[in-house]
Amino acid sequence: LSSIVMASKKKVKKSSMPLSAPVITPGHVSQIERLMDLDERSEADWRKIQLHLDSLHKLISTSLYERKTFTNKERGGLTIILNLLKETSRPPVVSCIIKILDVLCDHKYKLKLVNLDVVKTLFVSFARLSKDQGKSLSPLQVEYITVLLKLAPKDKTFATKGRLAGILPVVYSLMVHNFQMPTHCVILVQVLRALVTSSTNVGMLQSLGATALLNKVLQKYKLRDLTVVKCTADTLACLLKQGHESSKSAQSVLKALIPLMEELYRLDKQKRHVGVLQAVVSCFKVCIQSNSHLQETVRNGHTFLVLYEMAKEFSKENIKEQSDISGLACQILKICLPYERVEIPCFENPLSYPLPKPVEVDAPEEPPEGYTCTDSSREADKVEESEGQTSEGQTVSDESQHHLITKCTSSPSFSVNTLQPGQYSGEVPFLEPCDELYQDNEENPDIPDATPGNSFKSGIDDMVTIFSDIPVQSDTEDPLTLPVDAPTGNQQNEGSVGLGESCLQDNTSCSHQVSNEYDLQTFDSFFPELELSEEKSVLNDTITASNILLENNVVTNTSCSTFEGEDAVFGLVEGKGDQSLEEVYSAVSTSPRLPVKSVDNFTHMPPFVRYKDCRPSEPEAQVKGPFNLEKMIILHNVERYLNAKTCLNKVIYDNDEVLNGSWTPPDPDLLHAALQFDARFECGNLRKVVWVRDNEYDIQLNSDINSDHHHQWFCFKITGMQTGVPYLFNIINCEKPKSQFKHGMQPVMFSVKDAETGNQGWKRVGKDVSYYVNKFKFMEVRDGNVLDKPCRTATFTITFPHSEDTCYLAYHYPYLYSDLMSDLSELEDKLDSTSVYYKRHTLCHTISGNDCPLLTITSTEDDPTAYLSKEYVVLSARVHPGETNSSWIMRGVVKFLLSGDVSANLLRQKYIFKVIPMLNPDGVINGSHRCSLAGNDLNRRWLNPDPLLHPTIYHAKGILHWLSSKHKPSLLYVDFHGHSQIKNVVLYGCPDPSGGTVTEDFPKLLSSVAPAFSLKGCTYKMEKNKEGAARIVVWRMGVVRSYTMESSYCGASQGKYKGLQFGMDTLEEMGRHFCDALLLFKVNNLSVFPLAEQEC
């Protein structure tokens, strides 16, 4: 039965189709075309055209087939009537054509009409028709406008076409004479709304007086016709948003809007007209933004309270229109809130560190011919953001802190071979000048090929270092780097490397340029695996050329505080009575502690150093706040402003006063009721705490030392809490424009009681976590100018698990310099010397005198020459102190490489690893976010590193150049970083110089083994503002696979860890997967199995 029914339906459908040619084409359209071809048309001809148009209108209104045939380009029916519309302005004919177009608009032919430029034709015809019409709006004009409004959303150039057709004064004139009639006023305002999408149109309409006219419309209709009010408010908002005279008009418009908004909100209890209210509030917001003087007027009036109540009421429901109204009201409230000054003496960190200076010596009496050396100065350096991020400001330049002048002298007793890599830590020893200082360095000698018999001693001529106005910077390309368009794995630089220093005098170049150059012989000691006569000891080796020089030239910096385990003052640990620092580390290492040199005097060693391996068993979920969290935060701040008299606003911690000795603790009763804060420990960062009221605290952070920005990293201690009480923390002077705090990330907390009772370490905490631009500003007067910077707030609420506990809050899982040194000692104690070749060197000393470790890891070989066939992999991390996630990944890498795992053994057999686990120890120790003690972003100093101000970068670059000089360039270089604005782990690389995809092979392999890694997030490009970054400079040195690994502070948005935050386990696992990819890379090079093509 069903088959019979279906067959009958098909027959009916077929029978409805015409068997012959369609009626339209041979009939009405052809007749219209014939009549249009006449040279002269009589009235009878026009009546026939009108009759054919009426018939066409009836046909296309009822038949889909006829509509398709009429709009078919080959049949040309639509084109014919458009040509007719261009020729005539006879109202009956034009009306028929407009009706046909109206039918087509209603049946989804709008885009086709727009493509045929119907809008332009209609505008021209409407302007021509309006000249013949009176001042009142005719029915035919209404038909025109109706069709135009239907086409406007589909035509992006609607406003421009209207202006070019001269429609603006026509519409304005009609508006002036017809706004008294609601039906006419509505459609004319709608046309104006479509025309003001062009800023040029806005200026023309404002000059005609459109803003004042629309303001009259608002005052006339008020609540009598809400449709007119809605359209008018929308149009006014567009006019004021783009207009040049917006601030002048905003005040008069606001006077009409305020009573209208208050009445509408008060009377519409059933919320039937929320669309009208939304349009009015949106226009209100534009007025406030256009005229800043109105903000104070609104803030001090009754309207502010009305907006506050409106925002609270409409934010309760997750209904789109109501949610939009509450969002607009909250934005108005936020705009109207007054700015507050961040109460700190200056932008800069209250701590400063005197930068190292070369010793001044007398100038030679008769310098060699052709050479001059004078005092010089440089412009301030700009500090850029990390990989994938943008710059927000400038650091205080090195020269503004210390103007360093060196004069060159001559003495035959000086030997360039005494310039060792480790020499540049602390202050430079006295340099005895010699005639060699004036050697010509225009041509560099060739570097001999490496052979097994020459112990890999450098064949480079001796090179010298001349210090003139530190830090050294070049206006030209670094001689160390290769051309951008031609880096290759085997390409070598000729001769030695120069830092490109220029001597300047009276802003002109001198006749001779001298460059700071590497003496590569001094780097031989960092490659003991290639010293064929050396015994293969796997014990900890810190005796290098750097150390020998330091033993002979001990330099003590009195500005640096030493924090050692033996120190009785600093050796006590929180909650452990008289337990010493040595005992604290007994759980992880029996090796003696190295001293930690800091700028501030630390008061204690944080206890969480013992609990690095205590962490949650499962990754913690990313936490999203309620749908109206941002509105709740704004309303909270408004309520705080309205009740400012009830706020305490007591300063309970001020690091500035603590440092200068003027700090007076608050009243004991007050102190007992409030939380207590401290951050004078390794990696701590806290400047000021204000107890606002109840359980709310405003917190300010320190900038990096010798810098005036990078307020982001925080780590501080809290005591005196009560369990079950929600404490609200607002970190009010953050600088990053965006943060993962707004997208599921939480801060981390360490509880001493939890650690002691449950062996539990750091964990993610906090609810209602968000990040937003606040109403605080840094303000400071310099040279008569007021400088200000906007601030962001990171806010979260924490309920502590125990009363009277000691807790530590941090931006991300801390990894201290002390953690690194204790980890290395522990790993060395467990080392299997039969299979692991391991040495720990001191690459150099930092500005404050801390050791920068360099690790050499490979397999123990019976035949010493076996080391010669291995490729090098160079890894570095923690150039930015606040990016602690990079250290956790590096920890996973080092632990795996030194383990007894079969894969680790294979890796050691294939590669020699040079690992610099912490490039910026000073920044890590002193709680900086991005800079070293020199106030510089070290990842922008690879192009021309200064041996005094950037010693770790200078020597790390020297390691890579040493490999290049021996024709053993690194197979792979990876610099580990953290990223505050992305999810997942990604690699940023450089383009393949051969035009292929060589640089993309390792990321593909990594994506096949690491669930946290995102291949889609990887990029292979070089930005101008990052030309001093490690990956680009190393790429130019010939290491094609040079990468920056960026790991999210938050977590993953894909794969196994989607929706989860990265923990310490996940990050260390990423380090192991990195090693797996390296092994897979070696196997793929041997063509054992195919390269991974897709992301895991």
Side-chain angles (χ1 to χ4, degrees):
L1 181 63
S2 62
S3 62
I4 295 173
V5 172
M6 293 299 294
S8 64
K9 286 183 178 179
K10 290 181 179 179
K11 289 179 181 179
V12 171
K13 186 174 182 181
K14 288 181 180 179
S15 63
S16 64
M17 299 294 290
L19 299 176
S20 60
V23 178
I24 289 179
T25 303
H28 303 298
V29 174
S30 60
Q31 291 298 322
I32 293 171
E33 187 177 14
R34 183 183 63 79
L35 292 170
M36 287 178 62
D37 290 338
L38 297 175
D39 295 333
E40 294 183 3
R41 287 183 288 272
S42 63
E43 289 296 327
D45 294 332
W46 283 112
R47 281 195 297 271
K48 290 180 181 179
I49 291 175
Q50 183 180 346
L51 289 173
H52 286 301
L53 289 172
D54 284 337
S55 299
L56 278 174
H57 176 249
K58 292 177 182 178
L59 282 171
I60 65 174
S61 298
T62 57
S63 173
L64 172 62
Y65 183 80
E66 300 294 354
R67 284 194 296 271
K68 288 184 177 180
T69 305
F70 179 72
T71 55
N72 191 316
K73 288 185 178 180
E74 296 178 358
R75 304 296 173 92
L78 184 57
T79 305
I80 291 172
I81 69 163
L82 288 177
N83 291 333
L84 179 60
L85 182 62
K86 294 176 183 178
E87 291 183 9
T88 183
S89 58
R90 287 175 173 266
V93 175
V94 171
S95 178
C96 291
I97 296 174
I98 297 299
K99 289 177 181 177
I100 292 173
L101 295 175
D102 191 30
V103 170
L104 293 176
C105 288
D106 292 339
H107 289 87
K108 301 180 181 179
Y109 286 90
K110 297 176 186 175
L111 191 58
K112 182 171 284 190
L113 293 177
V114 168
N115 293 335
L116 289 173
D117 216 1
V118 172
V119 172
K120 180 180 177 181
T121 304
L122 287 173
F123 271 137
V124 174
S125 179
F126 182 78
R128 185 174 62 242
L129 179 68
S130 299
K131 292 180 181 179
D132 303 330
Q133 300 288 326
K135 294 181 180 180
S136 60
L137 196 65
S138 66
L140 182 56
Q141 288 173 313
V142 173
E143 292 176 3
Y144 262 103
I145 294 174
T146 303
V147 175
L148 283 169
L149 290 175
K150 290 179 180 179
L151 294 175
K154 296 293 183 180
D155 195 343
K156 296 181 180 179
T157 59
F158 182 88
T160 304
K161 290 176 181 176
R163 182 179 72 252
L164 297 176
I167 208 71
L168 295 180
V170 174
V171 174
Y172 175 76
S173 177
L174 290 171
M175 183 73 187
V176 170
H177 296 96
N178 294 275
F179 79 91
Q180 303 287 345
M181 299 178 62
T183 55
H184 291 173
C185 184
V186 168
I187 61 171
L188 288 171
V189 171
Q190 288 176 340
V191 173
L192 283 176
R193 173 66 182 84
L195 292 171
V196 294
T197 54
S198 166
S199 58
T200 306
N201 290 7
V202 168
M204 293 179 65
L205 287 170
Q206 282 188 339
S207 64
L208 291 171
T211 306
L213 177 61
L214 292 172
N215 196 18
K216 287 182 182 179
V217 173
L218 275 183
Q219 294 174 3
K220 172 178 174 54
Y221 287 96
K222 294 184 179 178
L223 299 182
R224 289 195 293 272
D225 193 317
L226 295 180
T227 305
V228 175
V229 170
K230 183 180 185 301
C231 295
T232 306
D234 283 337
T235 309
L236 270 173
C238 289
L239 276 172
L240 295 173
K241 188 181 294 183
Q242 301 184 58
H244 302 292
E245 301 178 0
S246 302
S247 59
K248 297 179 182 178
S249 308
Q251 188 170 2
S252 60
V253 173
L254 195 64
K255 288 181 180 179
L257 284 175
I258 288 176
L260 179 62
M261 182 186 68
E262 292 181 358
E263 272 189 74
L264 191 59
Y265 172 64
R266 180 174 57 85
L267 297 176
D268 189 23
K269 296 300 182 183
Q270 301 299 322
K271 298 183 176 61
R272 296 175 180 174
H273 306 291
V274 290
V276 181
L277 183 59
Q278 180 183 347
V280 172
V281 176
S282 179
C283 187
F284 192 103
K285 176 192 169 187
V286 175
C287 291
I288 293 296
Q289 291 175 322
S290 303
N291 191 332
S292 58
H293 298 292
L294 297 177
Q295 298 171 13
E296 184 177 357
T297 304
V298 173
R299 183 171 62 244
N300 296 331
H302 175 68
T303 309
F304 192 77
L305 296 175
V306 173
L307 286 165
Y308 176 60
E309 294 298 327
M310 184 190 304
K312 284 200 302 183
E313 180 178 347
F314 284 102
S315 64
K316 296 175 183 178
E317 301 292 337
N318 192 15
I319 302 173
K320 186 180 185 310
E321 287 187 333
Q322 296 187 26
S323 178
D324 292 343
I325 293 174
S326 64
L328 289 168
C330 286
Q331 291 174 31
I332 296 171
L333 292 169
K334 184 177 179 180
I335 292 170
C336 292
L337 284 176
Y339 277 100
E340 298 181 45
R341 181 180 182 273
V342 177
E343 296 294 338
I344 54 175
C346 60
F347 295 170
E348 291 83 2
N349 192 305
L351 289 170
S352 62
Y353 191 83
L355 301 183
K357 303 178 184 180
V359 179
E360 295 186 8
V361 290
D362 295 330
E365 295 181 0
E366 296 181 4
E369 184 178 356
Y371 174 81
T372 59
C373 184
T374 61
D375 298 344
S376 62
S377 60
R378 331 188 271 120
E379 297 180 355
D381 294 315
K382 292 183 179 180
V383 174
E384 303 290 346
E385 288 299 320
S386 63
E387 299 283 343
Q389 302 179 17
T390 56
S391 173
E392 286 192 289
Q394 291 184 335
T395 55
V396 178
S397 65
D398 304 322
E399 298 78 280
S400 65
Q401 300 161 7
H402 303 283
H403 183 63
L404 307 179
I405 299 175
T406 302
K407 297 181 179 179
C408 303
T409 59
S410 174
S411 172
S413 61
F414 174 78
S415 172
V416 350
N417 292 327
T418 62
L419 292 176
Q420 307 291 350
Q423 176 174 334
Y424 307 114
S425 61
E427 296 188 7
V428 179
F430 184 82
L431 302 180
E432 291 290 337
C434 69
D435 293 336
E436 293 175 24
L437 289 174
Y438 306 112
Q439 292 176 349
D440 192 355
N441 292 321
E442 292 181 356
E443 296 183 1
N444 294 321
D446 293 337
I447 300 176
D449 292 339
T451 58
N454 64 1
S455 298
F456 283 88
K457 292 297 181 182
S458 173
I460 306 172
D461 288 347
D462 292 337
M463 293 168 286
V464 286
T465 302
I466 297 178
F467 304 97
S468 176
D469 227 26
I470 306 301
V472 177
Q473 190 66 288
S474 173
D475 296 330
T476 59
E477 185 73 350
D478 182 12
L480 178 82
T481 60
L482 297 177
V484 176
D485 56 348
T488 63
N490 298 321
Q491 192 170 359
Q492 306 298 324
N493 287 326
E494 293 294 323
S496 58
V497 186
L499 293 180
E501 176 188 357
S502 299
C503 289
L504 302 177
Q505 182 178 16
D506 299 328
N507 297 323
T508 60
S509 299
C510 61
S511 60
H512 180 77
Q513 292 186 349
V514 180
S515 62
N516 279 332
E517 297 174 341
Y518 287 94
D519 185 350
L520 296 183
Q521 287 184 354
T522 61
F523 288 85
D524 289 347
S525 59
F526 296 130
F527 297 87
E529 68 277 7
L530 300 182
E531 296 291 342
L532 306 184
S533 61
E534 183 184 14
E535 295 182 3
K536 297 177 289 300
S537 171
V538 297
L539 299 178
N540 180 25
D541 177 17
T542 57
I543 302 177
T544 67
S546 303
N547 299 81
I548 295 173
L549 180 70
L550 287 173
E551 291 175 6
N552 298 328
N553 301 277
V554 177
V555 179
T556 303
N557 196 321
T558 57
S559 300
C560 187
S561 299
T562 302
F563 187 43
E564 305 183 55
E566 295 82 9
D567 194 328
V569 178
F570 304 136
L572 300 182
V573 181
E574 292 289 332
K576 287 297 181 182
D578 295 331
Q579 185 178 17
S580 67
L581 185 61
E582 292 297 325
E583 293 175 302
V584 171
Y585 283 98
S586 62
V588 292
S589 176
T590 57
S591 302
R593 289 281 299 118
L594 293 175
V596 174
K597 297 180 180 178
S598 62
V599 178
D600 193 9
N601 292 318
F602 294 155
T603 58
H604 68 280
M605 174 61 73
F608 54 77
V609 295
R610 289 180 294 172
Y611 296 94
K612 291 192 295 294
D613 294 315
C614 301
R615 64 272 308 256
S617 57
E618 297 292 335
E620 297 162 284
Q622 297 173 23
V623 177
K624 298 291 181 68
F627 73 92
N628 59 347
L629 176 59
E630 292 186 24
K631 300 170 191 174
M632 290 168 54
I633 291 171
I634 294 174
L635 293 174
H636 172 83
N637 291 333
V638 172
E639 188 267 336
R640 176 171 151 177
Y641 166 75
L642 294 173
N643 299 299
K645 294 181 179 180
T646 64
C647 294
L648 297 172
N649 292 325
K650 295 291 184 181
V651 178
I652 58 174
Y653 180 85
D654 192 329
N655 194 39
D656 291 74
E657 295 186 4
V658 170
L659 292 173
N660 62 32
S662 61
W663 170 244
T664 302
D667 182 82
D669 295 335
L670 181 67
L671 200 61
H672 178 73
L675 298 176
Q676 290 88 53
F677 294 79
D678 186 29
R680 302 188 70 185
F681 52 84
E682 188 178 344
C683 90
N685 188 319
L686 180 66
R687 186 163 191 172
K688 191 174 185 179
V689 181
V690 177
W691 185 16
V692 180
R693 56 178 179 173
D694 299 331
N695 303 312
E696 182 176 0
Y697 297 84
D698 282 353
I699 297 170
Q700 298 175 32
L701 306 177
N702 281 314
S703 63
D704 291 356
I705 293 178
N706 283 344
S707 171
D708 62 353
H709 58 295
H710 301 307
H711 305 77
Q712 202 73 24
W713 167 259
F714 61 86
C715 185
F716 49 84
K717 182 182 74 172
I718 303 176
T719 57
M721 70 284 293
Q722 298 297 318
T723 186
V725 178
Y727 292 91
L728 175 61
F729 299 98
N730 306 309
I731 301 177
I732 64 172
N733 65 334
C734 299
E735 281 192 60
K736 290 281 187 184
K738 298 178 182 179
S739 173
Q740 285 294 308
F741 277 138
K742 201 171 182 178
H743 304 286
M745 174 182 164
Q746 295 172 285
V748 295
M749 184 184 77
F750 177 88
S751 165
V752 171
K753 286 189 176 181
D754 274 348
E756 290 175 343
T757 58
N759 205 32
Q760 185 177 1
W762 289 99
K763 60 182 179 181
R764 301 274 188 171
V765 294
K767 68 174 185 177
D768 297 341
V769 183
S770 189
Y771 191 88
Y772 62 93
V773 179
N774 59 34
K775 301 297 288 189
F776 289 94
K777 280 190 176 182
F778 286 113
M779 296 183 183
E780 184 178 2
V781 178
R782 289 185 181 178
D783 300 327
N785 299 318
V786 178
L787 307 179
D788 60 75
K789 294 191 294 184
C791 299
R792 281 89 177 170
T793 291
T795 181
F796 44 87
T797 301
I798 294 178
T799 302
F800 293 98
H802 307 286
S803 298
E804 301 302 326
D805 193 3
T806 298
C807 293
Y808 291 80
L809 286 180
Y811 183 70
H812 196 259
Y813 302 104
Y815 189 89
L816 283 58
Y817 178 74
S818 298
D819 289 327
L820 171 64
M821 304 309 284
S822 64
D823 276 346
L824 293 180
S825 297
E826 179 186 13
L827 291 171
E828 289 158 5
D829 292 340
K830 299 177 181 178
L831 203 61
D832 180 7
S833 60
T834 61
S835 60
V836 181
Y837 181 98
Y838 168 84
K839 285 186 180 292
R840 190 211 310 183
H841 298 270
T842 297
L843 176 66
C844 65
H845 293 275
T846 63
I847 293 177
S848 63
N850 291 294
D851 293 348
C852 178
L854 168 68
L855 312 180
T856 301
I857 303 173
T858 186
S859 60
T860 303
E861 303 293 346
D862 295 331
D863 180 10
T865 60
Y867 295 111
L868 303 179
S869 62
K870 295 184 180 183
E871 293 180 292
Y872 276 85
V873 173
V874 181
L875 309 175
S876 62
R878 207 65 181 279
V879 69
H880 296 142
E883 296 170 5
T884 58
N885 37 3
S886 66
S887 281
W888 289 106
I889 295 178
M890 180 62 83
R891 186 177 192 244
V893 171
V894 174
K895 285 174 65 176
F896 181 74
L897 290 178
L898 295 178
S899 70
D901 190 278
V902 175
S903 297
N905 189 42
L906 288 174
L907 277 173
R908 293 192 296 266
Q909 291 174 9
K910 300 297 182 183
Y911 299 110
I912 298 176
F913 293 89
K914 292 292 180 181
V915 181
I916 309 173
M918 193 170 285
L919 277 169
N920 193 351
D922 286 347
V924 173
I925 292 169
N926 293 286
S928 295
H929 178 70
R930 190 172 183 83
C931 297
S932 67
L933 287 187
N936 297 143
D937 179 353
L938 293 182
N939 201 37
R940 296 295 180 271
R941 292 296 180 269
W942 277 79
L943 202 59
N944 292 300
D946 186 280
L948 285 172
L949 298 177
H950 324 121
T952 58
I953 305 303
Y954 178 84
H955 290 87
K957 189 175 179 180
I959 291 291
L960 289 157
H961 182 57
W962 190 96
L963 289 170
S964 180
S965 72
K966 301 301 181 182
H967 299 280
K968 294 183 69 65
S970 174
L971 169 72
L972 185 81
Y973 172 75
V974 182
D975 190 22
F976 295 91
H977 283 255
H979 205 298
S980 63
Q981 300 182 28
I982 65 169
K983 284 186 169 65
N984 309 309
V985 181
V986 299
L987 282 176
Y988 296 149
C990 298
D992 183 355
S994 64
T997 58
V998 171
T999 58
E1000 300 179 27
D1001 52 11
F1002 182 72
K1004 288 179 181 178
L1005 290 172
L1006 188 55
S1007 71
S1008 69
V1009 296
F1013 185 80
S1014 170
L1015 186 61
K1016 294 179 181 178
C1018 299
T1019 60
Y1020 311 94
K1021 59 183 180 180
M1022 298 187 297
E1023 301 87 350
K1024 179 67 176 177
N1025 66 334
K1026 296 183 178 68
E1027 61 182 355
R1031 69 175 170 95
I1032 294 178
V1033 173
V1034 174
W1035 179 83
R1036 289 178 173 177
M1037 294 171 67
V1039 182
V1040 177
R1041 295 181 182 88
S1042 176
Y1043 304 100
T1044 296
M1045 177 179 280
E1046 296 279 3
S1047 57
S1048 172
Y1049 285 108
C1050 181
S1053 61
Q1054 55 154 42
K1056 174 183 175 182
Y1057 296 113
K1058 182 177 181 179
L1060 300 177
Q1061 299 183 77
F1062 289 156
M1064 293 175 282
D1065 280 338
T1066 314
L1067 295 171
E1068 289 189 25
E1069 178 191 74
M1070 184 66 216
R1072 168 167 182 148
H1073 289 319
F1074 174 85
C1075 297
D1076 292 338
L1078 267 178
L1079 185 59
L1080 194 63
F1081 181 78
K1082 194 67 173 178
V1083 173
N1084 272 275
N1085 277 353
L1086 297 176
S1087 302
V1088 175
F1089 48 85
L1091 185 70
E1093 290 293 339
Q1094 297 181 348
E1095 186 172 359
C1096 184

